[in-house]
Amino acid sequence: MTSPADRLSPVYTGLPLTVFEHMSGLARQLGAINLGQGFPDDPPPQALSDAAIRAFSTRSQQYPPMAGLPELRDGVAAFYQREQGLALTRDNVIITSGATEAVACAILAVVSPGDEVLLFAPAYDAYAPMVRRAGGTPVFVPLQPPLWQYDEARIRAAITPRTRAMIVNDPLNPAGTVASADDLAMLARLACEHDLVAICDEVWEMVRFDEQGHRSLLAEPGMEARTIKIGSAGKIFGATGWKVGWLIGAPEMAAVLAKAHQFLTFTTPPMLQWAVAEGLADPAIPRALIERWSASRLALLNGLFEADFAVTASAATWFACIDLAATGIAMDDATFADRLVREAGVATIPVSALWEGADTPTHVVRLCHCKPIATIEDALARLTRWRRTL
Ligand code: GLN
């Protein structure tokens, strides 16, 4: 007799627990410093929490409009005009319960059984299972460390007449790299040539340390009508538990995306939507966060440098990656992460967990740096002490 659980979808029964939950679980259980899953330890900006509390006591807590509060949809459009020069209106914007829901809506709305979807490895681990659940086949093109660069020839070779979409995560988690102007032009050219939809997970757009404004693939010639851009208040404001995100697309596209959203979460807590609308209107809030995160990032990078750890290229996100092979540590990333959390009390993310296939590199681990500097220093001390015991 098989168990009823065996009758569930093999997409999920065959899937490991997400590495983020796995490592955070170990960190909780062992009382380790958690540089694994990405989230700041500090509370979100006071202005944001104040706005949420005000909204709780003064605003309706019933279903808001399915596509989001009009005030927040306008606010998101105005935010992108200010930050990225994009000309949008509320008709381009659908509010979702976090960016992961937005990714799900985009995939469900775009992918039909038999379609292929181009993914770049390493990839956020939600993409491939969702593509498979929609009946599609993920086709991975690797971005190899230490530079994590796009390779046009490999991308071209991966495109077939069945390719329907590409999922582009820029800036890229876990690497922390940013697509160059040439990369964006190349991706846009390929999308237009092969009539692909670009699902652009740009949740890290504001978390950049290279003094450059983010440029979206949406802004490339020919891309306005074929791009679904995804953003996240959790990343912009360092409030990952808020789960307020959005989808941006041409109005005809947004109207279809809304139909996927209406049967996933339908709406998103209105109190949080009001607060995010207030936060987006104030450019000083994300600037102050970047200053704080910049300092803790430097503390981690300098500490790793002083302790002779080789790191891979990065300019954005809350993450930096150690190249174990270049550091002279002959251990695969999964073993390294498991031993480090158990023996030294520091949780990290083995990057191979975000990769599929035979060419998976197993020598890179990701560390989250948006933590108080004392925490970073403690983690660095544990890491160096432990390394001496190897
Ligand atoms: N985006 C987060 C990270 O990369 C993880 C999100 C999650 O745990 N689902 O750390």
Side-chain angles (χ1 to χ4, degrees), residues 18 20-21 36-39 100 124-125 173-174 203-204 235 243 318-319 349 354 366:
T18 166
F20 304 111
E21 182 65 21
Q37 193 177 36
F39 59 88
T100 301
Y124 183 49
D125 61 354
N173 176 13
V203 298
W204 301 103
K235 304 297 192 283
K243 303 299 291 179
W318 290 331
F319 312 116
I349 298 292
L354 306 174
R366 191 193 81 174

Side-chain angles (χ1 to χ4, degrees), residues 16-35:
L17 183 68
T18 166
V19 68
F20 304 111
E21 182 65 21
H22 172 67
M23 291 308 302
S24 280
L26 276 177
R28 279 191 292 266
Q29 179 195 325
L30 300 165
I33 297 176
N34 192 354
L35 304 189

Side-chain angles (χ1 to χ4, degrees), residues 156-341:
R156 280 192 183 277
I159 296 175
T160 76
R162 288 172 173 262
T163 311
R164 165 75 50 148
M166 56 165 80
I167 303 186
V168 180
N169 178 211
D170 180 45
L172 174 69
N173 176 13
T177 43
V178 175
S180 68
D182 286 348
D183 292 333
L184 292 175
M186 179 269 293
L187 292 170
R189 235 178 12 250
L190 290 181
C192 294
E193 247 175 63
H194 296 275
D195 196 14
L196 310 181
V197 173
I199 300 174
C200 296
D201 174 350
E202 298 181 4
V203 298
W204 301 103
E205 59 201 342
M206 293 298 284
V207 188
R208 288 184 65 153
F209 304 98
D210 55 359
E211 314 266 315
Q212 310 260 329
H214 179 75
R215 181 170 165 85
S216 174
L217 194 55
L218 175 74
E220 291 297 312
M223 293 306 288
E224 203 177 321
R226 61 174 71 254
T227 300
I228 300 169
K229 171 176 161 70
I230 292 166
S232 160
K235 304 297 192 283
I236 296 170
F237 299 115
T240 58
W242 278 41
K243 303 299 291 179
V244 178
W246 46 82
L247 293 149
I248 307 289
E252 322 74 78
M253 184 96 97
V256 179
L257 293 168
K259 293 183 190 162
H261 164 69
Q262 73 183 344
F263 296 136
L264 277 176
T265 63
F266 178 50
T267 54
T268 298
M271 303 74 74
L272 298 178
Q273 293 195 50
W274 284 112
V276 169
E278 275 194 44
L280 289 177
D282 183 355
I285 297 179
R287 302 272 178 276
L289 286 170
I290 284 297
E291 250 172 63
R292 190 197 298 166
W293 296 335
S294 219
S296 53
R297 172 175 184 264
L298 280 182
L300 180 70
L301 289 178
N302 289 338
L304 289 173
F305 179 76
E306 277 161 24
D308 268 336
F309 282 93
V311 295
T312 65
S314 78
T317 75
W318 290 331
F319 312 116
C321 291
I322 296 179
D323 183 329
L324 297 175
T327 301
I329 298 177
M331 202 185 287
D332 69 78
D333 59 346
T335 308
F336 179 91
D338 192 66
R339 284 191 56 186
L340 184 68
V341 70

